[in-house]
Amino acid sequence: MRTFLAVAFVLLLATTASAATLNVEVSRQGFAGPIQVAVAPRVDGEPPHWSVTKTLPAGKSAVSFPDLTEGLYVVLASGPQPLQRLSAKANLGTGGSTIRLVLPRSKTVLHATLAGEPLAGAQVTLTHDKLRWTTGVRTGDDGRFEGELWEPGGYGVGVRREPTSAPHTVDVALKPEPLTIDVPDRHVTGRIAAGGKPVAGAVILLRSEDNEGVLTLRTQSAPDGRFEFFGVREGALTLTARAPSYLDSDAVTFDLRGAPGQKVLDVELTRGEPRAVRVVDMRDAPLAGATLFTACGGHLKSTTVTNAEGIANVALPGGSSCAIYVLPNEGSFAIQAVEGTEPLVIRVKEGTSSLRLTLKTVAGEPFSDMIVLMRIDGIAVPPAIARLLGSRGFPLMTDAQGSLSLERIPAGTYEFWPYRTLVEGQTIYDTATDFAAPISIAVMAGENNATVRFQAR
């Protein structure tokens, strides 16, 4: 009994000792209005979730936040205007900490234009580059906003003309000098429907690819099913849509160049036919928590996860040629072509192999940022699935040294086609059954290394 009380006492002391006070002092520099001070735990790369907020009334310049857990925090002081924002990092230890903020009281002017013409009533969202907090302004009839700027620096900006449209995005440096954000006159619009009726709340993704990299924008359909992507990038674009209880739409890839430019896409969603799938290892033990991606004709149609018994219900379109791609939590993967209507059992081989593939020119220069289409034991992985594999630890793009590494994969015959753009990748996938792959490797158990040299174009 004494031992229990002693342990409990020690734990109580440890809990009490972890609380500390964060003091915030604001040098107003003549600003007489109220100031709201918010505090949030700091997680690098994540937006702050404000845990406590207090207001400094006129004439007050200091506020305390007691009983906070030791750790890293973001502090944000806000005035009534949208760009009256000043933030800082805080490292709170057992002895407490004091953060001092000095309001700079500078001003700025922001112009939003569409192809050079004033963009009236634009909604401009600004996200701080480092600490990820967000604020927003609305332009007037002249496309202009003017106000105080407490924190110059780098921001990610999204410009909308309608609340439901996906924004035009750009990185800017806010300064006291005027800034103009010119939105290109290129837009993608359309309507999501099922059985001729609008689908509200469908998630629409627009993926663009250019020399600056890959950008994916997201929006949702309005109650009448309509959507808009505003001021999109020039070049190759891919649009997909998904909604609960429906199959994912086929990806539509197209080019949109020049200005003005507009693409109208009406997307029809369909419901799938359920198919029971059981995923097991080579000893027939169920694999719980395995992720199943279903692709039909190269398009992602559904995603699901197996339960404790290794069972999942997969949604499939009727009469289509489909394959299921399985990613277990334990590593490895499997691909199963779907045939017939009976329940499927997919057996996953152990991931006892690894492959390091290096692509170089004849002169020995690496082919960096090269994507590869992969075929395993005769079944190709479409680009839509390859992107998902890349996010799950199976990168199919070369690094700065021209290499990619696949770990914990099953032994088998691996074939590869290198490509650069989404359009190239889809074209190769559509014709892969008609041509031999330029790279074919028999992957055995253990480590496998291969270097392939190509003539540079």
Side-chain angles (χ1 to χ4, degrees), residues 100-422:
R100 295 177 176 86
L101 302 173
V102 180
L103 304 185
R105 302 301 307 279
S106 59
K107 292 186 177 182
T108 194
V109 178
L110 190 152
H111 296 271
T113 58
L114 177 62
E117 297 297 322
L119 190 56
Q123 296 179 342
V124 183
T125 303
L126 302 102
T127 302
H128 191 271
D129 274 353
K130 294 180 180 178
L131 299 184
R132 309 306 296 164
W133 52 264
T134 299
T135 187
V137 306
R138 181 183 288 274
T139 63
D141 292 340
D142 57 357
R144 184 173 179 271
F145 170 85
E146 181 176 2
E148 287 199 3
L149 173 65
W150 285 359
E151 188 160 352
Y155 291 82
V157 172
V159 182
R160 292 178 170 89
R161 61 179 171 187
E162 298 291 342
T164 57
S165 66
H168 169 72
T169 60
V170 64
D171 294 326
V172 303
L174 280 185
K175 303 176 182 178
E177 294 79 15
L179 171 69
T180 297
I181 301 173
D182 188 44
V183 179
D185 194 6
R186 284 188 299 273
H187 319 289
V188 178
T189 62
R191 181 174 178 268
I192 309 297
K197 297 181 179 180
V199 176
V203 175
I204 306 103
L205 303 176
L206 184 69
R207 180 182 172 92
S208 62
E209 180 179 357
D210 62 13
N211 293 332
E212 298 178 3
V214 176
L215 174 68
T216 301
L217 298 175
R218 174 192 300 259
T219 191
Q220 288 187 311
S221 57
D224 62 357
R226 298 190 181 279
F227 66 89
E228 178 187 39
F229 289 91
F230 180 59
V232 300
R233 278 185 181 181
E234 185 176 49
L237 304 168
T238 301
L239 184 139
T240 55
R242 65 171 65 110
S245 303
Y246 294 95
L247 296 168
D248 291 4
S249 71
D250 287 352
V252 180
T253 299
F254 56 94
D255 270 5
L256 189 60
R257 302 184 185 276
Q262 182 159 329
K263 181 73 172 180
V264 179
L265 290 171
D266 290 336
V267 179
E268 184 75 15
L269 298 180
T270 59
R271 298 186 186 275
E273 299 175 359
R275 176 75 67 87
V277 177
R278 184 167 182 262
V279 180
V280 298
D281 62 18
M282 298 306 290
R283 295 177 294 278
D284 282 341
L287 293 178
T291 301
L292 278 61
F293 301 115
T294 302
C296 305
H299 300 284
L300 177 67
K301 303 306 293 183
S302 64
T303 303
T304 189
V305 177
T306 58
N307 62 17
E309 288 75 40
I311 297 173
N313 285 316
V314 173
L316 297 170
S320 297
S321 175
C322 302
I324 298 174
Y325 301 79
V326 181
L327 284 176
N329 290 329
E330 296 80 3
S332 192
F333 59 81
I335 307 174
Q336 176 71 54
V338 179
E339 297 177 353
T341 58
E342 297 300 318
L344 293 174
V345 176
I346 301 177
R347 289 181 170 81
V348 182
K349 297 179 182 177
E350 291 187 34
T352 57
S353 307
S354 67
L355 171 63
R356 181 175 178 83
L357 174 64
T358 302
L359 306 181
K360 293 185 176 183
T361 67
V362 173
E365 295 295 323
F367 276 113
S368 61
D369 300 325
M370 181 72 76
I371 312 169
V372 294
L373 182 85
M374 180 171 65
R375 184 164 65 190
I376 307 170
D377 293 337
I379 302 179
V381 179
I385 300 298
R387 291 194 295 271
L388 297 172
L389 292 179
S391 67
R392 300 298 184 96
F394 294 97
L396 293 175
M397 176 184 287
T398 59
D399 58 19
Q401 288 72 46
S403 298
L404 61 86
S405 296
L406 302 176
E407 304 291 337
R408 299 173 68 186
I409 59 175
T413 299
Y414 288 70
E415 300 169 278
F416 301 95
W417 288 260
Y419 66 91
R420 289 285 190 191
T421 68
L422 293 173

Side-chain angles (χ1 to χ4, degrees), residues 87-105:
S87 60
K89 299 177 182 179
N91 189 348
L92 185 61
T94 54
S97 181
T98 298
I99 296 296
R100 295 177 176 86
L101 302 173
V102 180
L103 304 185
R105 302 301 307 279

